[in-house]
DNA sequence: CATTGATTTGAACGGGTGTTCAGTTAATGC
DNA sequence: GCATTAACTGAACACCCGTTCAAATCAATG
């Protein structure tokens, strides 16, 4: 046997990325083999190399795509307004965006050490860019006297760490709805920086 | 060759745990081989099995020891006092304790999925016990009217996630000293729950 | 100083790893 | 309907994996 019925790069390609995403998130990059991914796709391991030059690139592409989408989605937030309003929009956006993609988020935070140094550096720039958006909101709030934040850089990291924590426990259909979660966290974020 | 000069379970045993700790933290459990650990210890791979029944137990022991020490250290905190004071002590304790053991903390949060279900369950009980200490402080603060927290369980997880974030950037000898970090975070934690 | 017991070696076990590629088959364009 | 191209197989490559164990050597004991 060789080329199989119904085979298409347009369908196999996404399947490869989806399988890798799910398996990496569940078992970790190092614990997943190319043969496992191929098995999920319904293909032999060799066929994966039509879609990625190697395993490392597969991981990098997943992370890069995730962060590109994060920055693009944030950039398209309509009318962010003044500091307090902007901070609320950031908080709500962050929780929603991350709750919608638990696997991508998990990989992006857990598998950083499995990137080559060059790939790591590229991902870090994107992550840092996102953090700086929040940092800028805080800084402007301090200038306008709306916020009392001694160190905006630290505060930004603290808030993001807190918001990322949602993904460790939030599940759709659980005790709390997403809007309820957003309200609870917004209450804490707001008070933590208020003057 | 067989038994080597100066060999002692009293020295090799700790060396094995230290090497495993460092390597697991740096490369991840799945990416580290028993031969790598043995190499760091200065021994052949077979010798490791005098000190652990298998690789999995090595990981579990590291996590269990870490969490046992965490709970023991918290239990020995002198005079925690009323809610606000207790919350401050918790915050300062958490930051210091975790900053002192970055490798243990990293492993305890990143390698949970590499535990067998039984081992995972045991670790989760300990982690949950620690979380509940904070939850109890918050609950008492709410009862006494000192705190305004809608959902103490969620708030406890949010605060711990925020404090854990310190380990992603804090390094001894960096821009901020540990007391400065403790002050910055205490300021945010305090305000986030205040009535 | 001989003996016992603790400690390690080194080889072996069966199996898995990422990656390459010649060969084969299905889909596509003319 | 036929030639071309895209997609995939299956085997092979060299190597690494966790774990076991008889044999060898050292430390400790009496």
């Amino acid at each position: 046997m060789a080329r199989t019925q119904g085979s298409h790069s347009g369908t196999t390609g996404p399947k490869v990325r989806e399988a890798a995403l799910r398996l990496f998130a569940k078992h970790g990059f190092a614990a997943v083999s190319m043969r496992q991914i191929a098995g999920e796709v319904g293909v032999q391991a060799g066929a994966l190399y039509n879609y990625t030059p190697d395993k490392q690139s597969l991981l990098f592409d997943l992370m890069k795509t995730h962060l590109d989408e994060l920055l693009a989605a944030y950039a398209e937030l309509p009318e962010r307004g003044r500091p307090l309003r902007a901070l609320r929009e950031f908080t709500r956006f962050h929780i929603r965006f991350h709750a919608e993609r638990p696997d991508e988020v998990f990989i992006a935070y857990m598998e950083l050490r499995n990137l080559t140094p060059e790939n790591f550096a590229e991902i870090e720039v994107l992550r840092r860019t996102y953090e700086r958006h929040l940092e800028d909101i805080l800084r402007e709030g301090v200038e306008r006297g709306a916020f009392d934040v001694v160190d905006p850089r630290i505060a930004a990291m603290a808030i993001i760490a807190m918001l990322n924590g949602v993904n460790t426990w939030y599940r759709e259909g659980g005790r709390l709805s997403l809007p309820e979660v957003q309200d609870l966290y917004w209450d804490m974020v707001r008070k933590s920086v208020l003057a």
Side-chain angles (χ1 to χ4, degrees), chain A:
Chain A
M1 245 191 292
R3 177 164 192 171
T4 53
Q5 281 198 14
S7 61
H8 255 302
S9 64
T11 69
T12 307
K15 268 196 192 175
V16 169
R17 278 183 287 276
E18 282 158 27
L21 180 73
R22 198 172 53 255
L23 289 172
F24 288 168
K26 189 166 188 179
H27 307 291
F29 174 75
V32 173
S33 71
M34 294 300 268
R35 285 174 238 274
Q36 265 177 78
I37 299 171
E40 288 273 305
V41 176
V43 103
Q44 294 300 313
L48 298 181
Y49 291 85
N50 291 325
Y51 303 98
T52 181
D54 48 38
K55 197 186 173 193
Q56 160 76 204
S57 304
L58 203 44
L59 175 63
F60 174 69
D61 284 348
L62 292 173
M63 289 206 196
K64 173 103 166 62
T65 300
H66 170 64
L67 286 168
D68 283 344
E69 287 176 0
L70 173 66
L71 289 172
Y74 180 72
E76 281 175 17
L77 264 197
E79 181 53 61
R80 284 182 287 266
R82 295 175 165 239
L84 190 64
R85 167 87 188 274
L87 182 60
R88 194 189 70 191
E89 291 311 302
F90 181 95
T91 300
R92 298 172 66 82
F93 164 78
H94 186 98
I95 290 175
R96 179 184 54 72
F97 188 89
H98 287 71
E100 282 169 355
R101 330 171 143 64
D103 286 349
E104 284 88 341
V105 172
F106 203 67
I107 289 173
Y109 276 84
M110 303 278 283
E111 304 296 353
L112 285 168
R113 64 180 158 196
N114 286 306
L115 293 173
T116 62
E118 304 78 36
N119 286 345
F120 176 78
E122 194 171 335
I123 294 295
E124 271 301 287
V125 168
L126 298 175
R127 220 173 54 84
R128 188 77 185 80
T129 300
Y130 181 67
E131 270 179 21
R132 215 181 306 254
H133 286 317
L134 174 55
E135 200 179 322
D136 289 343
I137 293 172
L138 296 178
R139 221 177 283 278
E140 195 185 331
V142 171
E143 281 169 18
R144 299 199 188 197
F147 298 157
D148 175 24
V149 171
V150 177
D151 192 316
R153 169 106 179 82
I154 303 296
M157 291 191 296
I159 289 172
I160 287 179
M162 182 169 134
L163 298 181
N164 282 343
V166 172
N167 270 48
T168 64
W169 59 267
Y170 174 77
R171 298 291 175 270
E172 219 182 308
R175 176 166 69 90
L176 298 171
S177 71
L178 196 58
E180 285 171 334
V181 175
Q182 287 173 319
D183 287 347
L184 284 173
Y185 276 77
W186 166 234
D187 185 57
M188 293 186 74
V189 168
R190 178 179 51 80
K191 290 197 289 184
S192 74
V193 301
L194 234 46

